[in-house]
């Protein structure tokens, strides 16, 4: 190969490299007209799909909470009045034995739906292949919508320790990518740091890259380790924040909520019931039209919707898509038609 040919090949390689690295963009008009899927939930309202951390001090009871959440999802039950969307669960109990797991779920009186939980007691680290192991398992079990990792430190490779912040960012990105690729929730347990902190989220073990790189953070705190009462702070990226006062029932081994914001729960329930009751009463259980048209109809029936604008109503309807389908059997589809966003509702009944 002569020098000219070699230079030409090098130049072509550089051009190809530049071409591959160019931005892929979308203009604002196309963005706003895209019919994007709604936010999916594992537990309605409080736990969407994505990568989340559940942090707490040693022996604070975070494993009990993770097990309670897992069983609610596996059985299609509720937790603190919030409905779980029934699915299979992959539970990496990396500090457990089969004896301990059996004993703990017996204390939870967890029987119906237990076939939906897949337990793994040993796993490699991220740097030794657990990422591929998780992907392979999820591919083989497509009905899994919740992955619990207890605890996060067991799968964190030593390479991530060299630069803590960069390592935390890279580590969380790997788990976030898995959650997005398989459209599910990953809930990873970790510890909190001791000492004074500005807020509960800053207590999460690791650098700011850990808490900042997730889709949400749950922090369980107690005044004293021997207390049965605790505070749960939930800070999610795409939903409102929550703060629950909890008490651990030693007989049922469940965390119960001491206080409940009835206004938030009731508003959402009344919103959903207004939609469900309307479509059930429609001929052939079918309706088509714009969000504005539907809102006008519903405002005459449900006073709570009077304060809704068409934009807020449309956003709320889209956010409730999973709950409408999975819990109430109502199918919601939206698409642009003659430059208007067209809504189609059908009552299909819960399977």
């Amino acid at each position: 190969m002569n020098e000219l040919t070699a230079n030409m090949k090098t130049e072509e390689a550089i051009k190809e490299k530049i071409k591959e690295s160019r931005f892929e963009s979308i203009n604002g008009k196309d963005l706003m007209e895209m019919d994007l899927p709604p936010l999916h939930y594992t537990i309605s309202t409080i736990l969407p799909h994505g990568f989340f951390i559940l942090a707490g001090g040693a022996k604070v009871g975070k494993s009990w909470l993770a097990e309670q959440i897992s069983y609610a999802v596996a059985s299609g039950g509720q937790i603190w009045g919030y409905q779980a969307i029934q699915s299979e669960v992959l539970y990496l109990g990396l500090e457990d034995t089969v004896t301990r797991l059996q004993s703990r779920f017996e204390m939870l009186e967890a029987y119906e739906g237990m076939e939906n939980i897949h337990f793994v007691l040993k796993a490699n680290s991220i740097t030794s292949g657990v990422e591929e192991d998780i992907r392979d398992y999820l591919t083989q079990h497509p009905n899994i919508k919740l992955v619990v990792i207890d605890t996060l430190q067991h799968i964190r490779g030593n390479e991530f320790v060299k630069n803590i912040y960069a390592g935390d960012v890279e580590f969380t990105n790997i788990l976030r990518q898995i959650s997005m690729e398989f459209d599910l929730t990953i809930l990873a347990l970790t510890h909190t740091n001791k000492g004074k902190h500005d807020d509960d989220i800053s207590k999460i073990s690791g650098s700011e890259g850990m808490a900042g790189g997730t889709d949400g953070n749950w922090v369980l705190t107690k005044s004293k380790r021997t207390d049965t009462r605790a505070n749960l702070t939930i800070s999610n990226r795409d939903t409102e924040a929550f703060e629950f006062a909890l008490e651990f029932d030693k007989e049922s081994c469940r965390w119960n909520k001491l206080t409940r914001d009835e206004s938030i729960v009731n508003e959402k329930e009344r919103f959903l019931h207004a939609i469900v009751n309307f479509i059930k009463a429609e001929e052939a259980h079918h309706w088509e039209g714009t969000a504005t048209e539907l809102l006008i109809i519903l405002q005459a029936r449900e006073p709570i919707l009077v304060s809704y604008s068409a934009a807020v109503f449309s956003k709320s309807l889209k956010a409730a898509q999973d709950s409408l389908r999975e819990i109430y059997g109502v199918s919601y589809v939206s698409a642009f038609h003659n430059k208007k966003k067209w809504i189609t509702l059908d009552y299909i009944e819960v399977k």
Side-chain angles (χ1 to χ4, degrees), residues 178-194:
I178 294 174
S179 72
M180 290 187 293
E181 182 179 333
F182 290 92
D183 192 21
L184 49 72
T185 299
I186 297 179
L187 183 65
L189 279 61
T190 191
H191 295 289
T192 49
N193 295 315
K194 296 180 180 180

Side-chain angles (χ1 to χ4, degrees), residues 12-80:
E12 288 174 1
I14 292 173
K15 287 182 178 179
E16 190 64 30
K17 185 76 173 177
I18 293 173
K19 183 179 179 181
E20 290 175 358
S21 65
R22 286 180 177 173
F23 291 139
E24 290 185 11
S25 66
I26 179 172
N27 67 59
K29 181 176 180 297
D30 289 342
L31 173 66
M32 298 309 295
E33 291 183 352
M34 291 177 69
D35 186 22
L36 299 171
L39 187 63
H40 292 168
Y41 286 87
T42 293
I43 298 178
S44 180
T45 308
I46 61 174
L47 186 60
H49 287 184
F51 172 51
F52 297 82
I53 280 178
L54 169 56
K59 312 303 181 186
V60 75
K62 54 186 180 293
S63 291
W64 282 114
L65 180 54
E67 289 157 357
Q68 186 177 347
I69 290 171
S70 297
Y71 183 61
V73 173
S75 62
Q78 295 185 350
I79 182 167
W80 313 321

Side-chain angles (χ1 to χ4, degrees), residues 98-129:
V98 290
T99 301
R100 183 183 300 123
L101 285 170
Q102 183 188 70
S103 173
R104 290 170 75 98
F105 277 91
E106 280 182 345
M107 285 188 276
L108 285 170
E109 295 186 348
Y111 302 107
E112 185 178 349
M114 282 299 292
E115 69 276 8
N116 292 325
I117 307 182
H118 307 266
F119 294 100
V120 173
L121 304 187
K122 293 182 180 180
N124 294 314
S125 69
I126 284 285
T127 53
S128 300

Side-chain angles (χ1 to χ4, degrees), residues 265-330:
V265 175
N266 286 342
E267 181 174 343
K268 182 176 181 183
E269 288 176 350
R270 288 168 66 183
F271 175 85
L272 292 173
H273 289 164
I275 304 294
V276 174
N277 293 336
F278 165 73
I279 194 59
K280 280 185 176 181
E282 284 295 288
E283 186 177 356
H285 300 323
H286 174 85
W287 185 88
E288 295 182 14
T290 66
T292 301
E293 292 169 344
L294 180 59
L295 179 59
I296 291 172
I297 295 171
L298 294 178
Q299 282 176 332
R301 304 181 180 202
E302 181 54 74
I304 198 172
L305 298 178
V306 172
S307 62
Y308 280 57
S309 66
V312 170
F313 176 74
S314 182
K315 183 178 179 181
S316 299
L317 188 58
K318 186 173 182 179
Q321 181 174 345
D322 267 8
S323 295
L324 284 170
R325 182 183 65 254
E326 300 289 343
I327 301 171
Y328 298 99
V330 176

